Structures are given as structure tokens and as C-alpha cells.
Amino acid sequence: DIQMTQSPSSLSASVGDRVTITCRASQDIAIYLNWFQQKPGKVPTLLIYDKFTLQRGVPSRFSGSGSGTDFTLTISSLQPEDFATYYCQQTSNIPFTFGPGTKVDLK
Amino acid sequence: EVQLAESGGGLIQPGRSLRLSCAASGFNLDDYGMHWVRQAPGKGLEWVSGINWNSATTGYADSVKGRFTISRDNVKNSLYLQMNSLRPEDTALYYCGRDRRYSSSYLGPVDVWGQGTTVIVS
């Protein structure tokens, strides 16, 4: 099975900051890397799929990059509604696996 | 409006069985793959199982393989998860999710989520 890791596990940031979250796969997953956002008590939402494609309705301050085993989610200018936990997920090989999550909170 | 509504959760003793259901509305279930994703209290997301539009492709997490079975009834616009030999570590909020890919043999990420149904094994 493909193992997913994320770093950092948590970070504190201010509104307007540029935030970068890294996700690493234990083997090559090509472009099949997705990013989800989950706010406390809420259902997860898909932000980015297939490495860099923004899901409809997601603000352009979110972007994804990377390839193979190393991927990055960037929030160019953090907004108050972006404080949440972010998960990466690979959909290259079944079983699909999520990373452990990165919690972004207010500094 | 596209919606998913899970049901069937509850408190169940270890070793027993439970069947979750997910009713889809606002779209034709047989156009999409579907998934179950769970989240234990205070923990992260765990993909449990997925099934493509015509049931030709199914998959399971190692933690549930051989105990859980995913199925679908496209006529009833419903998805199911049969959970046998339940363990305390299966305690979680179980989400039903629609695959982003339309009419595909392959599975991808979930783009529509239900509100979840809680399973407590104790």
C-alpha cells in the first residue's frame, strides 16, 4: 500500500500569509494527488484534484504542484475562512490513502 | 441539488454486523463511482471502500478487507456498506461520497460528501 505523509502536522499563520503544506507518497503516484479541506465539525471538501486542478468554486489563492512522490499545497494569501485541517490523498492505487492532515490555525 | 444521505449507523457490539445505506438524490447514481470514507473521533480521514459505476471495480482498505462489502443498487439510487465482524476500532463517522469522475471505469477523489452516519462498536 502507498503511505502518505504530510508536513508540518500543524502550523500557525496570520491572515495574508503565504502557506505551504507538503505531502509525500511512499512511491510514484504520477499526478493522482488530491487535497481536501476540513473545518471542525464539518464535512471535508475537495480543493484540488490530479495534482493541480482546482475544483469548481475553489478560490484561486489555492494551488497545487509537484510530481511523482512530492507534492505541495500553497495558499497564496491566507484568509480567515482558510483556518482548517488539510489532507492529501492519493488515488493512484487502491487502497486509496490519506495523509495524516495538517492543521492550520491562527497565530 | 446533489445530495447524499447516509443511514444505518448506531451502537453495536463487537463481532456483530451492520449495514450502512446511502441514498443519492439530484443525480443518477449509475453515472458515478462511489466511496465510503470514515473518520474516528478526533482522528483523520480514512478511505474505506470504493466502487465504480457498474460495480466492475471495487476496492477496500486493508483494515476492512474481508469484513466489509460495498455494493450499489443503481435502480434504487443507493449505495451500501455491509460491515461484518465489527471491532472497536471501526468506531467512526462514516461518510458516503460521490466520485468526481463521470462514467469511468476508474475511481478518483470524492467531490460530493454526505453528512455521515456514526457507528460505535462497544
Side-chain angles (χ1 to χ4, degrees):
Chain A
D1 297 359
I2 298 174
Q3 309 303 316
M4 306 299 292
T5 58
Q6 287 182 236
S7 62
S9 57
S10 65
L11 67 90
S12 296
S14 301
V15 173
D17 284 353
R18 181 181 182 89
V19 169
T20 299
I21 299 169
T22 298
C23 176
R24 175 166 288 176
S26 61
Q27 64 188 73
D28 191 333
I29 57 170
I31 65 166
Y32 301 107
L33 190 283
N34 315 297
W35 291 98
F36 295 86
Q37 178 193 67
Q38 187 178 33
K39 298 179 182 179
K42 300 297 185 182
V43 172
T45 59
L46 178 64
L47 294 176
I48 291 170
Y49 61 91
D50 295 349
K51 186 176 82 171
F52 61 81
T53 305
L54 236 56
Q55 174 71 353
R56 185 167 49 191
V58 173
S60 59
R61 63 180 178 274
F62 291 92
S63 63
S65 63
S67 63
T69 60
D70 295 310
F71 300 86
T72 299
L73 172 69
T74 300
I75 309 172
S76 61
S77 178
L78 197 67
Q79 298 301 299
E81 60 267 31
D82 301 336
F83 292 99
T85 299
Y86 294 85
Y87 297 93
C88 63
Q89 182 206 28
Q90 67 83 17
T91 47
S92 173
N93 289 14
I94 288 175
F96 298 162
T97 41
F98 285 93
T102 296
K103 184 177 181 180
V104 177
D105 61 21
L106 184 63
K107 185 184 289 183
Chain B
E1 182 185 3
V2 173
Q3 288 188 320
L4 298 169
E6 303 91 337
S7 61
L11 174 62
I12 189 87
Q13 293 177 329
R16 303 291 294 270
S17 298
L18 203 60
R19 188 196 198 203
L20 303 184
S21 299
C22 172
S25 59
F27 69 101
N28 291 325
L29 190 73
D30 58 8
D31 287 332
Y32 292 90
M34 297 294 293
H35 302 263
W36 290 98
V37 176
R38 70 184 180 184
Q39 188 166 33
K43 303 297 184 182
L45 301 172
E46 180 184 17
W47 181 84
V48 173
S49 183
I51 185 169
N52 82 320
W53 70 277
N54 64 356
S55 304
T57 300
T58 60
Y60 300 91
D62 290 349
S63 58
V64 307
K65 195 177 294 183
R67 301 188 298 122
F68 290 12
T69 303
I70 192 170
S71 63
R72 60 192 298 157
D73 185 332
N74 290 339
V75 173
K76 294 184 177 179
N77 241 31
S78 293
L79 176 74
Y80 306 100
L81 186 68
Q82 178 66 42
M83 304 187 296
N84 298 332
S85 303
L86 281 161
R87 305 167 179 169
E89 55 264 36
D90 295 319
T91 294
L93 179 62
Y94 284 74
Y95 293 107
C96 164
R98 189 187 78 172
D99 197 285
R100 187 195 69 80
R101 298 185 181 187
Y102 176 86
S103 195
S104 173
S105 297
Y106 302 97
L107 294 170
V110 171
D111 71 343
V112 177
W113 298 72
Q115 291 299 310
T117 187
T118 298
V119 174
I120 300 173
V121 184
S122 177

